Amino acid sequence: MNEARIPGLGAVVLAGGRSSRMGRPKAWLPFGDEHLLQRVVRRLATVASPLVVVRAPGQDLPPLPPDVILADDPVEGRGPLQGIAVGLASLTGAADAAFVSSTDAPFVDPALVRFLWELRGASHDVVVPRAGGHYHPLAAVYGTSVKSEIDHLLAEDRLRPFFLFERVRTLVVPEDRLHEAPGLALSGDEILALRNLNTQDDWRAALDVAGLPRPRDPA
């Protein structure tokens, strides 16, 4: 499937979250015959390369393909901008932009990735969805050049992704426009690619949507 990869587009998956509400590491959640992080990586690898997984130092991860780059985020508790900076640094010289995802996005959708990439063109540094009244910074495309702006924000302790959107050429894509993405996976009107899993109930519901069995022992 490598011929479907988008030239110049890498991907960053943030795996270092605390998973406090889930009560167990999200990267290791069973999802069919694979773990959740493996599923996210597999789906993104069909459209993006290289692929970087950003983890906390010493964090145990399920086995990943040998071409996946592992990058350690040495600073804990600073939110997604810190992890995005680490991921983009790992792609410097290897990609023009990156699709950034969280680990807990089981329906990350190559159709959405491709749609946002095409909207970016040469006119925007960041392309971010806005749906359900929220920005979705962990389902967005970032030019690798924005790392310097992220570094400035981190130095100023301004940790919200929205602060980056104010400082660079950002295209905000509203929900109705997102529905124009060819082949986008939906559940009713919900854009599945924007669903993330915070609790075990969320995880079980996602398994149901995917038509996958629930593990007998969720603990």
Side-chain angles (χ1 to χ4, degrees):
M1 299 178 69
N2 289 1
E3 66 275 12
R5 287 178 174 171
I6 300 168
L9 181 67
V12 174
V13 181
L14 305 186
R18 297 178 180 177
S19 304
S20 55
R21 292 173 61 193
M22 184 65 69
R24 57 186 297 185
K26 292 181 182 180
W28 286 90
L29 286 175
F31 219 90
D33 59 359
E34 58 192 342
H35 299 288
L36 185 54
L37 177 60
Q38 293 171 326
R39 175 182 171 94
V40 172
V41 166
R42 173 177 58 79
R43 291 169 72 93
L44 283 176
T46 65
V47 285
S49 179
L51 196 149
V52 181
V53 172
V54 180
R55 63 182 177 180
Q59 182 181 2
D60 189 27
L61 298 177
L64 297 169
D67 58 344
V68 171
I69 300 166
L70 297 179
D72 289 342
D73 181 354
V75 184
E76 187 177 2
R78 300 207 77 200
L81 273 186
Q82 174 70 36
I84 292 170
V86 171
L88 293 182
S90 299
L91 290 173
T92 300
D96 299 323
F99 182 84
V100 175
S101 176
S102 57
T103 301
D104 63 346
F107 304 108
V108 61
D109 193 337
L112 179 64
V113 176
R114 192 173 296 278
F115 185 66
L116 297 180
W117 166 264
E118 290 173 352
L119 289 177
R120 176 176 175 261
S123 301
H124 301 97
D125 300 309
V126 174
V127 182
V128 58
R130 181 172 171 82
H134 304 285
Y135 294 96
H136 292 267
L138 299 186
V141 171
Y142 296 78
T144 52
S145 62
V146 304
K147 182 188 176 296
S148 60
E149 291 293 342
I150 296 177
D151 289 341
H152 289 313
L153 289 169
L154 293 172
E156 297 167 1
D157 210 33
R158 303 180 71 210
L159 305 182
R160 292 176 54 205
F162 182 75
F163 295 141
L164 175 66
F165 304 158
E166 291 182 317
R167 291 178 71 143
V168 300
R169 299 175 302 168
T170 298
L171 176 64
V172 178
V173 187
E175 191 163 1
D176 57 349
R177 185 79 188 278
L178 294 169
H179 280 267
E180 298 174 8
L184 187 68
L186 302 173
S187 176
D189 289 331
E190 179 194 2
I191 299 170
L192 284 172
L194 302 181
R195 179 186 291 202
N196 53 31
L197 311 183
N198 293 310
T199 66
Q200 294 211 9
D201 285 344
D202 293 341
W203 167 48
R204 296 185 188 100
L207 288 168
D208 292 345
V209 170
L212 295 171
R214 297 183 179 186
R216 293 180 180 177
D217 180 10

